[in-house]
Amino acid sequence: MSKVVYEGWMVRYGRRKIGRSFIHMRYFVLENRLLAYYKRKPQDNQVPIKTMLIDGNCRVEDRGLKTHHGHMVYVLSVYNKKEKSHRITMAAFNIQEALMWKEKIESVIDQHQESQVANGNKYVSFEYKSGMDNGRTASSSDHESQFSAQEDEDDAHPDFLRRTTIGNGPPDSIFDWTREFDSELSNQNANNQAFSRKHWRLLQCQNGLRIFEELLEVDYLPRSCSRAMKAVGVVEATCEEIFGLVMSMDGTRFEWDCSFQYGSLVEEVDGHTAILYHRLQLDWFPVFVWPRDLCYVRYWRRNDDGSYVVLFRSREHENCGPQPGYVRAHVESGGFNISPMKSRNGKPRTQVQHLMQIDLKGWGAGYISSFQQHCLLQMLNSVAGLREWFAQTDERGAPPRIPVMVNMASSSVSSKKTQKINELSVPPAPSLDQTNAANRNSVLMDEYSDDDEEQMPEAEQEAYPTKSDNDVKRTALEEEPNQKIDLSCFSGNLRRDDRDNSRNCWTISNGNNFRVRSQHFCYNKTKIPAGKHLMDLVAVDWFKDTKRMDHVVRRQGCAAQIASQKGLFSLVFNVQVPGSTHYSMVFYFVTRELVPGSLLQRFVDGDDEFRNSRLKLIPSVPKGSWIVRQSVGSTPCLLGKAVDCNYIRGPKYLEVDIDIGSSTVANGVLGLVIGVITSLVVDMAFLVQANTTDELPERLIGAVRVSHIELSSAIVPKLDTDPL
């Protein structure tokens, strides 16, 4: 029976082969599992312009904000992972409308996946056949998007989805300090929490704001760089309204930001990232102190809870060199966290956090401490300006819209004094995007994160039905290995070193550093320390090549081949990092055998839809630059929904090729990390998500810690054509 899930007018957005974008108003209809659009509202038997059947392999990609002749639109792209050339790209002038479509389409995808499970298609096994496709089996991402069939007019650029993140990609590092409260609520990695409330102290209350100062001391920043400070206040407006103002760089900003003098767009990176030029209006003895300006990357995202994150970090750009008469300041990290609160008296309420850590440079910053703090407080007071702006205006009828910024002229980086300040300005021209995406993230995307609710006190847990103690013990032990495995015969080119201060190495991360779903999660959403791993991590390889490295188990003498010769089963995770040079970090987990009927066995022998809906990653950065630690965060992420995962099933192994480049957001977050990877200690835990009481509690497949990785230590692998 025909059922219309959702319908309405949307913008048909795309890019023609000649490179020009286009928009048309079209009527979109989501009926049962069929997405179609028409030139006008459909009548009886009207043939649609284009259709797409929505199934479990479909994905809705957020392409962020685009502009077309001054019109700002929020773009979504719907495609099938097994047939990427067939896609429908749609957009909305209103971000809420785009999010509604995204939610409706994803609900249809989830319903189809659930129906497949109910029909018994859950345990279809993909067995390896020697010689097929050069050693690869058909799967959800069997071909690189660069070499896929010609896509429709939306995507004349084949690298649009798979951009490189090294070189002209996203910024080298942006620190997502907004992960602070997310990490606390999920209580994730409690022992290694990189950022928590104990690291902040209330400095003062000013203009109705609470001003906090960070307590952590860092040795890698110059002495002139201030400690991080943040202002926290409540604004009576919706998140979308505040987000629209924060993103603006036009005359409206003068009405709420007293530190703003001028702003323009330097470069558009993607739908979530932009490079901006910004002049500051600081009132600390302006006769004696030169004015400051900034060139920084700005990134934004919208979280599943309706909050918005806007992050800043300084970077150099060839078209935004030092300007005569200005001192170039440096933003180490900063931005806004805009979170919804419960309404009061029918009025929307939003908490706004504004954080800045800045080095204003020049003699004033180095010798007069009050100069730095005074200017920083002036910038943080913009939160009070937002509050008063909304309290004194009724201009809320128009949908949120980000004003088009003026493109910055391509001024030389040369410091010749013959340059004039007016070279910065050109006549207004429409921009393509407005802001950034990464971490988003994050390291892998919040919109696909494991959205767990607030934990319930233990006293209330007893009121819910539980399994008997014997059942709990059986569940916990059913996948335990019977005997320990001799690890001495396994090796990878990245060495293992269990010492705390070691560099360019890996070690096994303690499972209790990660919190997973408990036995009673279905009833009370509680989580527990993960405990012992199901499989042993025996080796780690660190590869590089000029192309993406798929099916690395083909490498002669790798840990998976040795395990197979000893009758052991291997689960291999190949994390693929795109760029001008492609990198792969490969983790080899080994066990004696899979327990029949266990969740792990069902994952290994299941089909791609089941695997994509269950494979989960929990990341953490216990040591690293402030901005990167919080950008990565510690929120669990369903990898199969965030990025393309290619599953290769062999007789005694399953390899999972995790293509970070397939997601704009994950790709962006990776770009923030790769530039400072030598300074990072990163924890990663892999597990299969448990959704039912029979599958709970969750167990880690394994966890690893990689420390201060050197890009130069990666080797070029020799991959055989005929593996196991």
Side-chain angles (χ1 to χ4, degrees):
M1 184 177 179
S2 178
K3 177 186 176 183
V4 175
V5 179
Y6 201 65
E7 62 180 329
W9 288 99
M10 290 283 284
V11 177
R12 171 79 173 123
Y13 177 90
R15 187 173 294 276
R16 303 186 188 280
K17 294 181 180 180
I18 58 175
R20 296 179 181 177
S21 60
F22 66 87
I23 61 172
H24 305 294
M25 292 303 297
R26 294 292 183 258
Y27 197 85
F28 284 78
V29 177
L30 180 59
E31 186 173 1
N32 293 332
R33 289 173 47 206
L34 190 69
L35 176 64
Y37 65 86
Y38 306 80
K39 279 192 175 181
R40 58 188 63 86
K41 191 170 182 178
Q43 306 296 327
D44 293 339
N45 301 322
Q46 183 174 340
V47 179
I49 299 175
K50 191 172 184 179
T51 63
M52 174 179 287
L53 185 65
I54 305 298
D55 61 21
N57 287 310
C58 287
R59 179 173 295 166
V60 186
E61 182 186 22
D62 166 18
R63 290 196 173 178
L65 290 161
K66 309 289 182 183
T67 21
H68 179 84
H69 296 311
H71 297 287
M72 300 297 301
V73 291
Y74 190 91
V75 182
L76 302 174
S77 181
V78 186
Y79 68 95
N80 191 302
K81 292 188 293 181
K82 292 187 175 180
E83 191 182 0
K84 288 189 175 181
S85 60
H86 182 57
R87 65 174 62 231
I88 291 180
T89 305
M90 57 200 300
F93 293 109
N94 187 301
I95 191 171
Q96 292 96 323
E97 183 68 14
L99 293 170
M100 180 62 72
W101 272 101
K102 185 173 185 294
E103 176 185 337
K104 294 296 184 181
I105 297 173
E106 288 181 341
S107 68
V108 173
I109 296 173
D110 293 339
Q111 289 172 12
H112 178 70
Q113 289 178 339
E114 292 169 1
S115 66
Q116 291 293 95
V117 172
N119 292 333
N121 296 335
K122 185 176 179 179
Y123 311 126
V124 178
S125 176
F126 288 91
E127 296 297 334
Y128 168 77
K129 293 181 176 57
S130 179
M132 178 184 292
D133 193 19
N134 194 25
R136 297 183 62 192
T137 56
S139 189
S140 60
S141 58
D142 199 44
H143 303 282
E144 292 186 39
S145 65
Q146 298 102 314
F147 306 108
S148 59
Q150 178 73 26
E151 298 180 347
D152 67 359
E153 64 274 15
D154 310 311
D155 279 312
H157 301 290
D159 62 345
F160 190 80
L161 290 179
R162 193 186 300 282
R163 283 190 311 100
T164 58
T165 59
I166 301 174
N168 63 348
D172 290 338
S173 63
I174 278 196
F175 171 61
D176 189 351
W177 53 272
T178 65
R179 292 290 190 185
E180 169 190 3
F181 298 109
D182 292 341
S183 299
E184 289 169 358
L185 291 176
S186 63
N187 204 16
Q188 199 66 250
N189 199 8
N191 295 329
N192 292 323
Q193 193 60 259
F195 198 79
S196 63
R197 297 183 184 185
K198 67 182 180 181
H199 296 150
W200 293 90
R201 71 178 180 92
L202 182 65
L203 186 65
Q204 60 179 280
C205 292
Q206 176 178 304
N207 295 333
L209 307 176
R210 289 182 299 155
I211 309 295
F212 292 87
E213 181 182 54
E214 189 195 22
L215 296 178
L216 289 178
E217 292 283 357
V218 291
D219 54 6
Y220 55 86
L221 294 177
R223 180 173 173 269
S224 58
C225 188
S226 68
R227 286 189 179 185
M229 295 176 65
K230 66 177 178 180
V232 182
V234 176
V235 180
E236 290 189 346
T238 65
C239 292
E240 286 73 20
E241 292 170 334
I242 298 171
F243 174 71
L245 273 187
V246 166
M247 298 292 284
S248 67
M249 298 288 278
D250 64 350
T252 309
R253 198 176 185 100
F254 291 108
E255 300 181 27
W256 61 270
D257 187 354
C258 60
S259 65
F260 175 78
Q261 184 187 81
Y262 170 77
S264 63
L265 180 65
V266 178
E267 180 189 348
E268 300 142 338
V269 179
D270 57 39
H272 292 260
T273 311
I275 311 297
L276 304 177
Y277 175 71
H278 189 148
R279 290 180 188 169
L280 298 174
Q281 179 71 46
L282 305 176
D283 59 5
W284 197 86
F285 292 103
V287 176
F288 303 101
V289 178
W290 279 32
R292 263 59 176 174
D293 66 357
L294 299 164
C295 179
Y296 59 90
V297 58
R298 181 177 68 182
Y299 152 80
W300 75 270
R301 71 169 182 267
R302 182 188 187 277
N303 296 327
D304 287 341
D305 62 356
S307 62
Y308 289 82
V309 171
V310 184
L311 301 176
F312 310 142
R313 194 175 196 273
S314 284
R315 66 161 294 172
E316 295 180 356
H317 194 280
E318 60 182 358
N319 292 336
C320 189
Q323 302 302 318
Y326 288 84
V327 174
R328 179 61 52 88
H330 176 84
V331 176
E332 177 63 23
S333 62
F336 291 86
N337 187 19
I338 305 166
S339 306
M341 301 177 66
K342 291 183 179 180
S343 60
R344 180 176 295 174
N345 298 326
K347 295 182 179 180
R349 298 168 68 239
T350 300
Q351 183 190 75
V352 179
Q353 298 182 55
H354 183 20
L355 179 141
M356 287 294 290
Q357 184 174 26
I358 192 170
D359 183 355
L360 290 172
K361 302 292 187 178
W363 65 268
Y367 295 96
I368 307 176
S369 59
S370 60
F371 166 66
Q372 189 102 326
Q373 187 176 45
H374 174 87
C375 297
L376 192 52
L377 288 174
Q378 182 181 347
M379 288 184 275
L380 294 179
N381 264 328
S382 62
V383 178
L386 284 169
R387 184 190 63 218
E388 295 305 312
W389 191 92
F390 282 103
Q392 299 175 28
T393 183
D394 294 325
E395 298 178 8
R396 303 190 187 189
R401 179 178 181 274
I402 299 179
V404 178
M405 292 185 292
V406 177
N407 277 325
M408 189 172 189
S410 178
S411 57
S412 172
V413 183
S414 171
S415 60
K416 293 180 180 180
K417 295 184 179 180
T418 56
Q419 288 181 312
K420 297 182 180 180
I421 297 178
N422 58 13
E423 290 178 356
L424 294 173
S425 303
V426 296
S431 61
L432 195 68
D433 313 339
Q434 213 67 9
T435 50
N436 164 325
N439 230 114
R440 271 135 194 160
N441 202 125
S442 188
V443 132
L444 287 178
M445 235 170 122
D446 285 339
E447 68 178 11
Y448 297 118
S449 65
D450 179 21
D451 190 15
D452 298 326
E453 298 179 6
E454 188 175 349
Q455 297 190 6
M456 184 172 293
E458 293 183 5
E460 298 183 23
Q461 298 177 16
E462 300 176 0
Y464 295 89
T466 61
K467 290 186 176 181
S468 65
D469 292 341
N470 290 335
D471 288 339
V472 174
K473 291 178 182 177
R474 178 183 58 78
T475 305
L477 296 176
E478 66 176 355
E479 299 179 10
E480 292 286 357
N482 295 325
Q483 304 174 20
K484 288 190 175 181
I485 297 173
D486 180 15
L487 306 182
S488 60
C489 58
F490 299 99
S491 64
N493 73 296
L494 189 66
R495 65 186 178 88
R496 176 175 178 174
D497 194 330
D498 295 335
R499 294 175 296 178
D500 290 339
N501 297 322
S502 299
R503 302 183 64 84
N504 199 35
C505 62
W506 67 272
T507 187
I508 295 175
S509 185
N510 190 331
N512 288 326
N513 289 338
F514 305 90
R515 299 182 67 83
V516 296
R517 295 179 172 186
S518 70
Q519 182 67 50
H520 314 304
F521 180 84
C522 292
Y523 307 111
N524 52 31
K525 305 297 183 183
T526 55
K527 289 190 171 185
I528 58 174
K532 191 174 181 180
H533 307 166
L534 291 174
M535 304 181 72
D536 292 311
L537 179 60
V538 297
V540 176
D541 279 328
W542 181 223
F543 295 145
K544 66 180 178 181
D545 206 340
T546 56
K547 61 183 181 300
R548 195 178 73 181
M549 291 155 282
D550 297 316
H551 201 179
V552 293
V553 173
R554 292 179 290 158
R555 190 176 73 92
Q556 188 66 32
C558 73
Q561 294 192 13
I562 295 174
S564 179
Q565 295 168 5
K566 294 181 175 294
L568 305 176
F569 182 85
S570 302
L571 185 51
V572 181
F573 294 101
N574 174 18
V575 182
Q576 300 169 324
V577 182
S580 54
T581 299
H582 291 252
Y583 292 89
S584 277
M585 184 162 284
V586 188
F587 306 100
Y588 301 89
F589 294 93
V590 170
T591 188
R592 291 194 176 276
E593 60 182 5
L594 298 174
V595 178
S598 66
L599 182 58
L600 181 57
Q601 180 271 323
R602 288 157 48 198
F603 170 80
V604 168
D605 293 328
D607 63 12
D608 283 1
E609 289 187 22
F610 179 70
R611 292 164 175 163
N612 285 334
S613 66
R614 295 299 188 95
L615 180 59
K616 186 190 293 185
L617 170 72
I618 306 177
S620 177
V621 182
K623 183 178 180 181
S625 68
W626 184 36
I627 195 166
V628 175
R629 282 180 296 166
Q630 301 315 306
S631 181
V632 174
S634 57
T635 304
C637 168
L638 289 173
L639 283 174
K641 290 188 176 182
V643 297
D644 284 351
C645 294
N646 178 41
Y647 303 93
I648 306 167
R649 179 71 161 97
K652 297 292 290 184
Y653 72 91
L654 173 67
E655 178 178 331
V656 185
D657 292 343
I658 304 168
D659 182 10
I660 304 299
S662 62
S663 165
T664 303
V665 177
N667 206 9
V669 174
L670 180 65
L672 315 181
V673 173
I674 199 69
V676 292
I677 193 172
T678 57
S679 66
L680 303 181
V681 175
V682 180
D683 284 348
M684 289 177 283
F686 299 91
L687 67 156
V688 182
Q689 178 169 285
N691 290 340
T692 66
T693 54
D694 291 337
E695 297 169 347
L696 292 168
E698 286 182 334
R699 302 290 309 281
L700 296 184
I701 295 172
V704 60
R705 170 171 291 185
V706 290
S707 302
H708 308 290
I709 299 299
E710 299 285 347
L711 295 177
S712 59
S713 66
I715 66 171
V716 179
K718 182 180 179 180
L719 302 180
D720 295 342
T721 57
D722 189 15
L724 302 181

